Amino acid sequence: MKKVLYAIILLATALSAKAQTEPGTTTLYPRLGMTFSKFTGDCLLSPSDDRSLGTKYKAGFVAGLEVQRQVSDRLAASIGALYSEQGTKFEHDESVDVNTTVKANYIAMPVLGIYTSATGLSMKLGLQPEVRVSDDANYVLNRVTLSLPVGLSYEFHHVALDVRYNIGLTHVYKHSVTGFSSRNSTFMLTLGYGIEL
């Protein structure tokens, strides 16, 4: 039994050592995944009973590339470009004769500081400018927004699972209505593959 435990500890140590990226290493990560987004603080008013119809999350697609530079044993930085399908849905009400889904697709450019570990687990924090490339609701939606991405990722044998929550810092609408503060709220789940350059 002691030999088995010793072998497991030895194997775990070897895998952990392998997961650690050397300082000065640059890695390219193609990413593919899903988004779940909505506009926080937004609503529609139902003319039938004056109820406010709140927003709910809309599913979408995300794909792109990120480049990560390992600065030290524990710190890294990355920059990327991701095509991200975002927007919002409103609660359904038959009395509201409007499209209850708003599409707002972006090219997101995350700039992240990353704390890495020898176990393959990383924590991420940064800023993300977003340029809207879809033409839906051009007359009311801002072309450029800014978000704060907060995330965790786990990498094993170059395969990286990444989970982020992008907190909107700027208004999505060109003209904010008094009492409303509509911002992007996006969960992003991606799978990537690390290619050392």
Side-chain angles (χ1 to χ4, degrees), residues 27-35 61-69 76-84 108 110 112 114 116 120 122-124 128 151-156 158-164 188-195:
T27 308
L28 178 68
Y29 288 95
R31 296 193 184 278
L32 185 67
M34 291 189 70
T35 60
F61 166 82
V62 61
L65 293 171
E66 289 185 307
V67 179
Q68 180 172 313
R69 179 76 172 178
S78 73
I79 189 168
L82 305 170
Y83 174 77
S84 179
L112 302 171
I114 305 167
T116 63
S122 299
M123 294 180 289
K124 303 182 177 186
Q128 179 173 281
L152 289 172
S153 70
Y154 180 73
E155 184 171 347
F156 184 72
H158 302 287
V159 178
L161 178 66
D162 190 282
V163 180
R164 296 179 199 174
M188 191 177 286
L189 175 64
T190 64
L191 198 62
Y193 189 82
I195 305 167

Side-chain angles (χ1 to χ4, degrees), residues 154-175:
Y154 180 73
E155 184 171 347
F156 184 72
H157 290 296
H158 302 287
V159 178
L161 178 66
D162 190 282
V163 180
R164 296 179 199 174
Y165 176 50
N166 298 326
I167 306 165
L169 299 177
T170 57
H171 294 289
V172 294
Y173 292 116
K174 291 180 180 178
H175 305 288

Side-chain angles (χ1 to χ4, degrees), residues 71-93:
V71 179
S72 68
D73 287 340
R74 290 289 178 263
L75 297 177
S78 73
I79 189 168
L82 305 170
Y83 174 77
S84 179
E85 291 182 346
Q86 295 175 206
T88 196
K89 278 187 176 182
F90 293 94
E91 295 172 358
H92 182 67
D93 188 315

Side-chain angles (χ1 to χ4, degrees), residues 139-155:
Y139 57 97
V140 292
L141 293 180
N142 282 318
R143 180 64 68 179
V144 179
T145 55
L146 184 68
S147 290
L148 175 76
V150 179
L152 289 172
S153 70
Y154 180 73
E155 184 171 347

Side-chain angles (χ1 to χ4, degrees), residues 118-131:
T119 62
L121 188 68
S122 299
M123 294 180 289
K124 303 182 177 186
L125 180 68
L127 281 176
Q128 179 173 281
E130 301 152 339
V131 179

Side-chain angles (χ1 to χ4, degrees), residues 24-53:
T25 303
T26 301
T27 308
L28 178 68
Y29 288 95
R31 296 193 184 278
L32 185 67
M34 291 189 70
T35 60
F36 299 92
S37 63
K38 71 174 183 177
F39 297 163
T40 60
D42 201 358
C43 71
L44 288 176
L45 295 178
S46 170
S48 61
D49 54 10
D50 293 329
R51 284 191 306 114
S52 61
L53 307 177

